[in-house]
Amino acid sequence: MIQVTRRIAIAEDELSEDFIRSSGPGGQNVNKVETAVQLRFNARLSPNLPDAVRARLERLAGHRLTQDGVIIITAQRFRTRERNREDALERLLELIREAAVPPPPPRRPTRPTLASKKRRLEGKAKRADVKKGRGRQPMD
């Protein structure tokens, strides 16, 4: 079991890894060695995720989520297969941790106080007097 948060843990058999060739520079090594990792996690069928977390996770995953509810994370930042495996797993865990945080409660609208209304109107009146004083003065 991989501990994600205090309450959420996912089984290792829920994850599957495929190794692919990395893109970008790297000389002959990039053409021979499959160091990039595609980590797959079926969020929709995972029994260890609460429904609220699953819904937020699917929303957060965005383009990494397939039609079947599988999250695919591709890691090719490092030159070694092991470092890319660790990177992909850490990115998945971070995504699940972010989904596990409940959204903040909605804002309750408040009304302005009487004193703040008075301050606003006094400021407007003062500004109006300043502007009224500009313009041309009548000639006597």
Side-chain angles (χ1 to χ4, degrees), residues 135-140:
R136 291 182 167 243
Q137 299 297 328
M139 292 260 190
D140 290 333

Side-chain angles (χ1 to χ4, degrees), residues 20-26 29-30 34-38 64 73-92 94:
I20 55 176
R21 289 188 182 147
S22 294
S23 63
N29 190 56
V30 80
E34 295 180 337
T35 56
V37 178
Q38 271 193 344
R64 294 170 288 204
I73 295 182
T74 304
Q76 57 183 13
R77 198 180 317 179
F78 301 103
R79 287 179 63 107
T80 63
R81 185 181 277 196
E82 270 311 305
R83 293 278 303 272
N84 283 328
R85 285 179 74 192
E86 292 168 9
D87 183 41
L89 181 61
E90 190 52 46
R91 283 168 41 199
L92 175 67
E94 190 58 40

